[in-house]
Amino acid sequence: AQTVTQSQPEMSVQEAETVTLSCTYDTSESDYYLFWYKQPPSRQMILVIRQEAYKQQNATENRFSVNFQKAAKSFSLKISDSQLGDAAMYFCAYKGSSNTGKLIFGQGTTLQVKP
Amino acid sequence: DTEVTQTPKHLVMGMTNKKSLKCEQHMGHRAMYWYKQKAKKPPELMFVYSYEKLSINESVPSRFSPECPNSSLLNLHLHALQPEDSALYLCASSQVGGVRAGELFFGEGSRLTVL
């Protein structure tokens, strides 16, 4: 069975600094996808970034980028130039080869951004 | 503006009541989901509908009854709930197949309290 582990329950970063959130996963599948979702307090969860396992190039979306290490089964999220609006709970998620979005979520990391 | 709309935002019900949660999306997505989320925990998948047919039921108790009347609507009928069922119920939608199936669009949720 696939598992996703986020080992940092809480993180904090100073505004304008860079922070990296860790995620590891376990799977025997060769075809899969990885995601980072953001859930601000009392607001809806939104997709931050995605990575297809077959792509070697790390995904980037503006200030958000990932470090995807397939052999190590690691998928960390880097947030550059942190902003107050980045404060949220971040979930790493795994999707296997099924046609529907049955996601396996990590336990989440709460990110605090200090002004 | 959220593209997945959930009503009601808050619901308080007794253990003998019957109520329903409603979800609507107009993005043309053919997969829809119900998740249950407890505070500071990841979402737990309950049901998945694909092309208006129930494709995944994660062994959810029968006091939760999903319904998908058409491709835009998803309901969750509630009956004889227990206090431990109090949680945030999230609806989501996505395309079917490939990486897009993992790109879930979430509603803001319905916060349910069972007395």
Side-chain angles (χ1 to χ4, degrees), chain A residues 19-93:
Chain A
V19 65
T20 298
L21 308 184
S22 300
C23 173
T24 58
Y25 61 95
D26 191 24
T27 184
S28 58
E29 295 182 308
S30 58
D31 184 21
Y32 56 88
Y33 309 94
L34 297 164
F35 306 86
W36 279 98
Y37 280 85
K38 168 186 178 182
Q39 188 175 34
S42 300
R43 292 181 60 190
Q44 71 192 110
M45 187 175 300
I46 59 171
L47 176 67
V48 174
I49 199 166
R50 71 173 189 267
Q51 175 80 43
E52 292 94 325
Y54 63 85
K55 290 188 177 179
Q56 293 186 339
Q57 186 172 7
N58 290 324
T60 298
E61 290 286 342
N62 301 312
R63 298 183 294 107
F64 298 87
S65 61
V66 298
N67 183 4
F68 174 48
Q69 301 290 327
K70 191 172 183 178
K73 295 181 180 173
S74 171
F75 183 61
S76 60
L77 174 70
K78 186 171 82 171
I79 306 174
S80 304
D81 185 25
S82 297
Q83 300 176 358
L84 296 178
D86 295 332
M89 195 156 191
Y90 287 81
F91 293 100
C92 178

Side-chain angles (χ1 to χ4, degrees), chain B residues 30-81:
Chain B
R30 301 307 296 274
M32 296 186 76
Y33 311 80
W34 281 115
Y35 280 87
K36 173 184 178 180
Q37 187 179 28
K38 293 278 196 178
K40 298 192 180 299
K41 295 293 186 182
E44 301 172 27
L45 183 64
M46 300 175 72
F47 303 104
V48 180
Y49 275 83
S50 180
Y51 296 105
E52 296 89 69
K53 294 189 188 305
L54 184 64
S55 62
I56 297 177
N57 176 342
E58 292 288 288
S59 302
V60 178
S62 59
R63 57 186 184 268
F64 295 91
S65 176
E67 177 194 21
C68 189
N70 60 53
S71 60
S72 300
L73 293 174
L74 185 66
N75 298 322
L76 185 63
H77 302 297
L78 314 171
H79 174 55
L81 295 191

Side-chain angles (χ1 to χ4, degrees), chain B residues 1-43:
Chain B
D1 288 341
T2 180
E3 296 184 80
V4 177
T5 304
Q6 290 188 243
T7 55
K9 291 195 186 320
H10 300 275
L11 178 63
V12 179
M13 61 186 291
M15 290 190 284
T16 59
N17 292 156
K18 286 185 180 181
K19 298 285 185 182
S20 297
L21 305 180
K22 298 184 183 300
C23 175
E24 187 170 8
Q25 59 92 9
H26 293 289
M27 293 178 283
H29 291 163
R30 301 307 296 274
M32 296 186 76
Y33 311 80
W34 281 115
Y35 280 87
K36 173 184 178 180
Q37 187 179 28
K38 293 278 196 178
K40 298 192 180 299
K41 295 293 186 182

